[in-house]
């Protein structure tokens, strides 16, 4: 091919930089972690009848401490969530690795706390944790191959589309561009998506923009273009994480500040701040 | 300036070379894609298209906007518009994969992050084009500034595909298939869309790129240097050479690091190739580094076929083999040793080392794959032209200057993708026409202006009818015929008297009478018509006569001995021949058992005509030879079977000794028999794996045990020296020295070269020239200096076999319609010496039998064998069994398949991708169904190359269905193309 055809700008290719090391957890490590968690919990349940009294009371100093440490560890996913959205981490996958390892340990600690008194509303927290593990595991281990196989599997862009579709998308683009002048005047619609910074600074505008973005994604059939599990696992995982966080905070607030309500007719034997 | 790729749907042949290049460039593993060629069939009508998909570098990239990371892991370069992913910032959430409506965002399933095309930023930084654009055999991928590409497309009057359904502003450009080219009245796809390319109504065959089959390509399958860091793959040397896999003989470059091959690319210095190369050449990388390679001599421990071996040393292996060979010779004579060397073994080995060994040993039974590939065309060309092929070249001035290309039984786009890319390029640039005659809408046919779906095995009838119409209508080139053709009038009178008219041929071939007339007139009128033939003609029991008839057709239309016109059937192999001194040749007392090695089976099983007790074989006869059940029985009966190969395969399991061989740059050799007389030299630049040795080394060492080392000398282990000293003592070859070969950076020269300073000849046999090594005025290298259709001497030779020099129509024995076929003469007939065979060999004379009640086809039809089985080459990434050890070829085309027409599939209740059994009277094989409207309804197609011992996707060879006794009586070539079968859903 004559060079003219490849007459490149002087900077062509300059953007390529060697990527810094990106830590990751292989499928094998992830499987071992989950397997280890399961084995650990089963072993704990088998050993539990032979353990001293303190291991049978979720609020005992040891198990309450385990729950507190575990809960703190289970906050690591939120650090990951925050880190990847704020630019605080140059290599966000480091936080991913931390989130998986810390969460696994956290789940173990919270679980042995929970297994001591496996009943009542706190079960919802355990339920969330189980689903978080399942969705996370599916997303990373089971869906990696289908994710790779998505390459070359879509066809919508090469099929005729209804005449009105392009007009609707064009209208959305117009609205987004208009909103963007108020939300982030320096940004280009073509490359823009709402960030945490925008949500904090202008939540209503951000919400309006996000609704338009979602509408465009719907019209272009983004999530419908892949199997439902692949389309929705991550959203479900995030929703579960938020549900877990709310439930955890509620549980912590109740046992700390309203121990009498939590204990009902029972004994308030755990560390707390509120009256009984 | 927005950079982009421009992909021409008219040019793309779906070979997936761009995929191979991309993975090699970026070290990608299984499942990991930055690009992919998507095969698209049609649901209800013949059609085939290919969509080369990679990132579209959109103006509004959906992937970028979907990325939840801040700052984004995906960015669009403000200057070049290239969309890139920063893998270090990617968290592997897959939102970009979901968002991209083109499905062009890749994902690394091992390290869990997005991967995508960045138009090869590292290559661009060095001023190079993206890897995909560099290798594309069809020049279907152009790279540059988008505006320049658009200007170029507009200048060529090309329409763009509208693939911006969602207003993302894709930068890549797809050029529509051509519909209104000059001189084009009918296309292979009669229903090309009026509104442009669309995926509506198209479907992806289940058997290609099947993600479910990738499970077998676990990370352990990935070999050096894939998935290594770029810095670990950076070459410290690049040496030119060539690909030693197929007849394209592509110039390549071997990129080396620390004595290992880290990359195989095309050679951009070559003015004709300019870096183009097909996926097979690139898979050599996986061949050299495969963990499945044989690395030590092995000795069988268990029963034949059991596959139990123990490693032994070379000395022990060769000593024991020599001792056993000596004992066999003492008991049964030297002819009791058969030697089979397929083309993997290398030309230098077959025509050099083994030939010398066989001459000194004294066995006439040395064969290669010619009887399965080319022997019928060799015989036809030698009888007519004087050399075994055409004298034309793949150059713009020669084959590139034709007005019409007619392919008959030649799927060049898949068997020699680079050569087809050249032809297609010239067709498009020059406004030439392309017509394909084939039972299938092959990739070649999918590019044609016209596809004529012929009944398998009846090309001779078509050729006769074309000639009939041309001669009857006085459309032939009378001056050329009178001046340069002997016996053309006899032939004219013969076909007119026989009534081989278009009306006669129409029901035989399944092609309408008028279409035959039109084709004849088009061939006669074209100022330069190239008729391509190949295995689709050769692999029939009428292969020689079909080839002769097409040669005659080309000649009477003035298309022989000119630029831009010829009958071309895999070209002309250069005469590489090593000969031992007369005094050192052992006397050969008995004739060869048969030219075709399947004719040796009786000698192995029952000693007919004499015992064959030992076989030294390369390649994989237990897959490649027809009649696999019979071949197994014969191999079990041997006293000694030695297998020399790169990988263990089905043949290995039956061997007494397996000897690990070297190949290509591990040993130094020339490429295969190139199509257009090019000899390409491949230097030895790396060591073979483990204790593997070059074939030449093995034959020299074995020869030492018999005292052959005065001819097969120790110093001849240096292949370059062996070449100069032993292989080029022929008038065509004397100038083809190592020095001459190394004088050009692309390492090939075109023969004949009478001396080292002789100029290369682009086109042989032009008017006013003399054939190399022949008397003055002998334009063609025949005894008469003219093309010979019919002479008394020639007729006498055919007469010995029961045939005539004037081809009379017959076809293979197993046909769905009643057609004449050949059968051995009655039991009172005696074998006759075959006057066309290169060696001393006897054969039974035949007779052309009418399709009466004794016809085998009728009996088979009565048993329910209601379908014509065609076998042949699989798609471009595969070549026999070589590529089945390359994980990437397995990722592309993992499974043995059977192409079956949707109407037949519907009747049988077969779904696309479903496993079915294909049965002939000889056996059955399983394969996955590919429901394909582009095949005749009464035929199915099963490709060759799979065997049941391959590492990734083993399937039984299609040759369990074929017959070793159905052979061309003239050339002894096997019929591998027409058998009656039935398809049974599983």
């Amino acid at each position: 091919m004559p060079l003219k055809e490849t007459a490149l700008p002087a900077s062509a290719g300059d953007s390529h930089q060697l990527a810094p090391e990106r830590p990751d957890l292989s499928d094998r490590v992830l499987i071992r972690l989950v397997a280890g968690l399961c084995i650990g919990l089963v072993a704990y349940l088998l050993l539990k009848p032979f353990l001293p009294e303190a291991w049978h009371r979720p609020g005992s100093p040891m198990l309450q401490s385990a729950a507190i440490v575990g809960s703190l560890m289970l906050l690591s996913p939120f650090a990951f969530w925050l880190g990847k959205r704020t630019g605080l981490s140059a290599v966000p996958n480091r936080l991913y690795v931390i989130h998986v390892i810390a969460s696994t340990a956290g789940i173990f600690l919270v679980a042995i706390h929970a297994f001591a008194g496996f009943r009542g509303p706190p079960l919802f927290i355990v339920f969330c944790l189980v689903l978080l593990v399942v969705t996370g595991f599916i997303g990373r281990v089971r869906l990696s191959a289908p994710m790779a196989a998505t390459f070359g599997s879509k066809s919508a862009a090469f099929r005729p589309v209804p005449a009105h579709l392009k007009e609707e998308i064009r209208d959305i683009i117009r609205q987004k561009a208009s909103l963007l002048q108020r939300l982030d005047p320096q940004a280009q619609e073509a490359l823009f998506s709402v960030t945490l910074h925008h949500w904090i600074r202008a939540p209503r505008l951000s919400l309006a923009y996000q609704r338009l973005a979602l509408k465009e994604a719907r019209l272009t059939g983004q999530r419908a273009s892949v199997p439902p599990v692949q389309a929705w696992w991550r959203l479900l995982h995030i929703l579960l994480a938020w549900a877990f966080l709310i439930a955890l905070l509620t549980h912590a607030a109740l046992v700390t500040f309203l121990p009498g309500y939590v204990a009902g007719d029972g004994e308030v034997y755990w560390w707390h701040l509120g009256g009984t | 300036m927005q950079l982009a790729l421009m992909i021409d749907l008219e040019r793309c042949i779906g070979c997936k070379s761009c995929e191979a290049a991309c993975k090699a460039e970026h070290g990608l593993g299984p499942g990991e894609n930055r690009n992919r060629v998507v095969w698209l069939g049609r649901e209800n009508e013949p059609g085939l298209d290919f969509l080369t998909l990679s990132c579209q570098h959109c103006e509004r990239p959906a992937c970028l906007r979907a990325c939840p990371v801040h700052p984004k892991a995906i960015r669009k370069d403000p200057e070049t518009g290239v969309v890139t992913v920063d893998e270090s910032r990617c968290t592997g959430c897959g939102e970009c994969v979901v968002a991209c409506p083109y499905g062009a965002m890749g994902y690394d399933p091992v390290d869990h992050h997005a991967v995508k095309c960045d138009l090869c930023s590292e290559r661009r930084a060095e001023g190079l084009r993206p890897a995909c654009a560099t290798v594309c055999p069809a020049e279907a991928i152009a790279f540059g500034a988008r505006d320049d590409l658009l200007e170029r497309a507009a200048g060529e009057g090309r329409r763009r595909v509208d693939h911006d359904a969602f207003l993302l502003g894709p930068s890549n450009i797809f050029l529509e298939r051509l519909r209104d080219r000059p001189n084009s009245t009918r296309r292979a796809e009669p229903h090309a869309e009026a509104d442009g390319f669309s995926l509506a109504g198209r479907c992806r065959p289940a058997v290609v790129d099947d993600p479910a089959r990738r499970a077998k390509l676990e990370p352990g399958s990935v070999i050096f240097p894939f998935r290594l860091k770029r810095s670990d793959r950076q070459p410290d040397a690049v040496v030119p050479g060539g690909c030693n896999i197929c007849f394209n003989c592509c110039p390549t470059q071997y990129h080396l690091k620390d004595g290992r091959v880290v990359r195989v690319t095309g050679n951009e210095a070559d003015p004709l190739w300019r870096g183009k190369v097909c996926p097979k050449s690139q898979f050599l990388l996986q061949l050299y580094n495969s963990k499945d390679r044989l690395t030590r001599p092995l000795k069988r421990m268990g029963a034949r076929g059991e596959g139990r071996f123990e490693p032994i040393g070379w000395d022990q292996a060769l000593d024991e083999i020599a001792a056993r060979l000596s004992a066999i010779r003492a008991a049964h004579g030297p002819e009791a040793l058969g030697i089979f060397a397929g083309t993997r073994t290398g030309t230098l080995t077959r025509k050099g080392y083994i030939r010398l060994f066989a001459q000194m040993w004294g066995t006439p039974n040395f064969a290669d794959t010619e009887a399965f590939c080319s022997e019928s065309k060799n015989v036809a060309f030698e009888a007519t032209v004087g050399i075994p092929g055409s004298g034309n070249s793949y150059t713009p001035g020669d084959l590139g200057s034709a007005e019409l290309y007619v392919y008959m039984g030649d799927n060049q786009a898949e068997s020699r993708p680079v050569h087809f890319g050249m032809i297609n390029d010239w067709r498009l640039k020059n406004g030439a026409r392309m017509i394909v005659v084939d039972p299938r809408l092959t990739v070649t046919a999918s590019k044609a202006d016209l596809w004529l779906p012929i009944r398998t095995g009846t090309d001779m009838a078509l050729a006769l009818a074309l000639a009939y119409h041309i001669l009857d209508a006085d459309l032939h080139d009378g001056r050329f015929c009178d001046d340069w053709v002997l016996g053309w009038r006899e032939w004219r009178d013969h076909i007119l008297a026989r009534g081989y008219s278009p009306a006669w041929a129409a029901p035989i071939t399944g092609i309408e009478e008028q279409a035959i007339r039109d084709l004849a007139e088009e061939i006669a009128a074209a100022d330069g018509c190239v008729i391509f033939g190949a295995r689709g003609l050769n692999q029939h029991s009428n292969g020689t006569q079909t080839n002769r008839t097409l040669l005659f057709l080309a000649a009477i239309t003035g298309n022989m001995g000119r630029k831009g016109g010829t009958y071309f059937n895999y070209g002309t192999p250069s005469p590489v021949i090593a000969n031992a001194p007369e005094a050192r040749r052992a006397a050969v007392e008995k004739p060869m058992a048969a030219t075709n090695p399947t004719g040796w089976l009786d000698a192995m099983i029952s000693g007919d005509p004499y015992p064959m007790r030992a076989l030294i074989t390369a390649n994989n006869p237990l897959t490649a030879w027809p009649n696999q059940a019979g071949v197994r029985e014969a191999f079990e009966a041997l006293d000694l079977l030695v297998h020399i190969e790169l990988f263990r395969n089905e043949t290995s399991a039956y061997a007494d000794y397996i000897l690990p061989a070297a190949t290509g740059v591990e040993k130094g050799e020339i490429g295969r028999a190139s199509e257009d007389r090019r000899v390409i030299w491949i230097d030895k630049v790396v060591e073979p794996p483990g204790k593997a040795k070059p074939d030449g080394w093995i034959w020299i060492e074995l020869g030492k045990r018999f005292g052959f080392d005065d001819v097969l000398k120790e110093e001849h282990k240096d292949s370059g020296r062996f070449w100069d000293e032993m292989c080029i003592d022929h008038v065509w070859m004397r100038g083809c020295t190592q020095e001459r070969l190394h004088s050009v950076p692309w390492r090939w020269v075109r023969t004949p070269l009478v001396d080292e300073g002789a100029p290369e000849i682009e086109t042989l046999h032009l008017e006013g020239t003399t054939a190399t090594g022949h008397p003055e005025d002998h334009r063609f290298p025949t005894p008469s200096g003219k093309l010979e259709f019919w002479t008394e001497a020639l007729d006498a030779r055919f007469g010995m076999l029961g045939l005539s020099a004037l081809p009379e129509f017959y076809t293979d024995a197993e046909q769905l319609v009643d057609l004449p076929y050949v059968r051995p003469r009655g039991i009172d007939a005696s074998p006759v010496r075959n006057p066309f065979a290169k060696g001393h060999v006897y054969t039974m004379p035949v007779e052309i039998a009418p399709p009466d009640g004794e016809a085998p086809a009728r009996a088979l039809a009565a048993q329910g064998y209601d379908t014509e089985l065609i076998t042949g080459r699989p798609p471009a990434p595969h070549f026999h069994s070589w590529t089945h050890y390359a994980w990437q070829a397995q990722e592309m085309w993992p499974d043995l398949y059977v192409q079956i027409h949707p109407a037949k599939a519907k009747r049988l209740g077969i779904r696309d991708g479903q496993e079915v059994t294909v049965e002939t009277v000889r056996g059955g094989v399983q394969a996955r169904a590919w429901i394909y409207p582009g095949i005749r309804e009464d035929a199915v197609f099963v490709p060759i190359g799979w065997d049941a011992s391959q590492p990734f996707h083993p399937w039984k060879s299609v040759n369990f269905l074929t017959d070793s006794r159905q052979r061309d009586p003239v050339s002894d070539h096997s019929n591998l193309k027409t058998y009656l079968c039935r398809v049974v859903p599983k």
Side-chain angles (χ1 to χ4, degrees), chain B residues 123-138:
Chain B
R123 291 176 61 86
R124 285 188 286 122
E126 294 173 21
L128 301 171
R129 290 177 291 162
C132 57
T134 309
V135 297
C136 180

Side-chain angles (χ1 to χ4, degrees), chain B residues 93-154:
Chain B
C93 69
E95 284 296 314
C96 51
V97 176
V98 174
C100 175
Y102 298 99
M105 180 59 75
Y107 192 83
D108 179 344
V110 176
D111 288 337
H112 310 108
H113 60 75
V115 292
K116 72 180 297 299
C117 167
D118 59 358
L119 293 174
C120 288
S121 60
E122 296 90 349
R123 291 176 61 86
R124 285 188 286 122
E126 294 173 21
L128 301 171
R129 290 177 291 162
C132 57
T134 309
V135 297
C136 180
E139 298 187 50
I141 305 175
F143 164 72
R146 187 167 192 270
D147 289 342
D148 292 345
L149 294 172
L150 288 172
E151 193 181 329
R152 179 171 137 187

Side-chain angles (χ1 to χ4, degrees), chain B residues 598-614 627-639 964-965:
Chain B
T598 59
W600 301 351
L601 301 184
D602 286 341
M604 295 176 188
I605 295 168
S606 56
D608 179 23
Y610 49 75
M612 182 179 286
R613 304 308 314 150
N627 179 19
Q628 278 299 306
V631 180
R632 277 162 172 70
E633 183 188 351
F635 281 20
E636 278 183 1
L638 287 168
D639 294 335
S964 57
R965 293 188 191 277

Side-chain angles (χ1 to χ4, degrees), chain B residues 716-872:
Chain B
H716 288 159
K717 288 177 180 173
D718 174 343
S719 55
R721 185 165 174 181
F722 181 65
W723 173 262
D724 271 356
E725 292 180 4
M726 300 298 291
C727 298
I728 55 174
D729 187 20
H730 184 284
V731 65
W732 267 48
M733 302 299 295
R734 288 191 188 118
C736 188
T737 60
Q738 284 291 304
E739 190 172 340
R740 179 77 185 259
L741 286 162
H742 283 82
S743 68
V744 283
W746 43 87
R747 293 290 184 272
W748 62 260
V749 292
R750 183 175 278 121
T751 60
L753 291 172
V754 292
D755 58 55
E756 219 170 48
E760 294 178 19
I761 306 171
E762 184 182 30
T763 312
L764 301 181
H765 315 143
L766 293 178
E767 190 152 20
T769 62
T770 297
T772 302
H774 285 259
E776 194 69 23
D777 296 333
H778 272 53
R779 178 179 172 184
F780 296 98
T782 54
S784 63
K786 298 182 178 184
L787 298 176
E788 297 186 354
F789 286 14
W790 183 91
T791 65
E792 284 186 4
L794 197 55
D795 202 42
R797 290 165 75 192
F798 276 98
M800 289 170 70
L801 300 172
L803 298 171
S804 164
L806 301 172
E808 185 180 346
F809 175 69
Y810 70 88
T811 183
D812 304 303
E814 298 184 20
Q815 283 281 2
L816 278 182
V817 292
D818 284 342
L819 296 173
Y821 64 100
V822 284
R823 65 185 175 203
R825 278 196 188 154
I827 49 171
D828 53 336
S830 306
V832 293
R833 181 166 177 176
N834 187 333
F836 294 97
K838 292 189 182 68
H840 183 188
V841 60
Y842 284 80
T843 187
M844 287 300 289
V846 295
E847 61 185 4
I848 297 177
D852 54 20
E854 291 178 30
R858 288 194 183 175
L860 291 170
Q863 293 173 54
Y865 296 102
D866 58 357
T867 305
E868 289 161 356
L869 166 70
I870 308 166
T871 76

Side-chain angles (χ1 to χ4, degrees), chain A residues 84-102:
Chain A
K84 74 188 265 187
R85 283 165 179 79
T86 57
L88 289 175
S89 172
V91 184
N93 223 48
R94 286 196 189 116
L95 293 174
Y96 159 78
V97 172
I98 292 168
H99 120 260
V100 172
I101 294 172

Side-chain angles (χ1 to χ4, degrees), chain A residues 5 9 11 16 22 24 27 84 87 89-90 140 144 148 151-152 154-155 158 160 166 189 191 193 216 223, chain B residues 1 36 60 70 72 79 87 89-91 95 97-98 100 103 111-112 121-122 142-144 152 199 204:
Chain A
E5 206 174 311
S11 66
H16 182 82
R22 172 186 178 274
D24 190 36
D27 287 355
K84 74 188 265 187
S89 172
R140 205 63 161 194
S144 286
F151 195 101
K154 299 185 185 182
S155 61
F158 289 95
K166 282 193 179 181
E189 184 280 332
L191 308 175
S193 53
E216 184 185 351
R223 296 208 183 269
Chain B
M1 177 178 67
R36 178 177 294 159
R60 302 178 58 245
H70 179 75
K72 301 279 188 188
E79 193 165 0
E87 292 171 8
R89 290 200 58 72
C90 178
T91 59
E95 284 296 314
V97 176
V98 174
C100 175
D111 288 337
H112 310 108
S121 60
E122 296 90 349
F143 164 72
R152 179 171 137 187
L199 288 184
R204 297 156 204 241

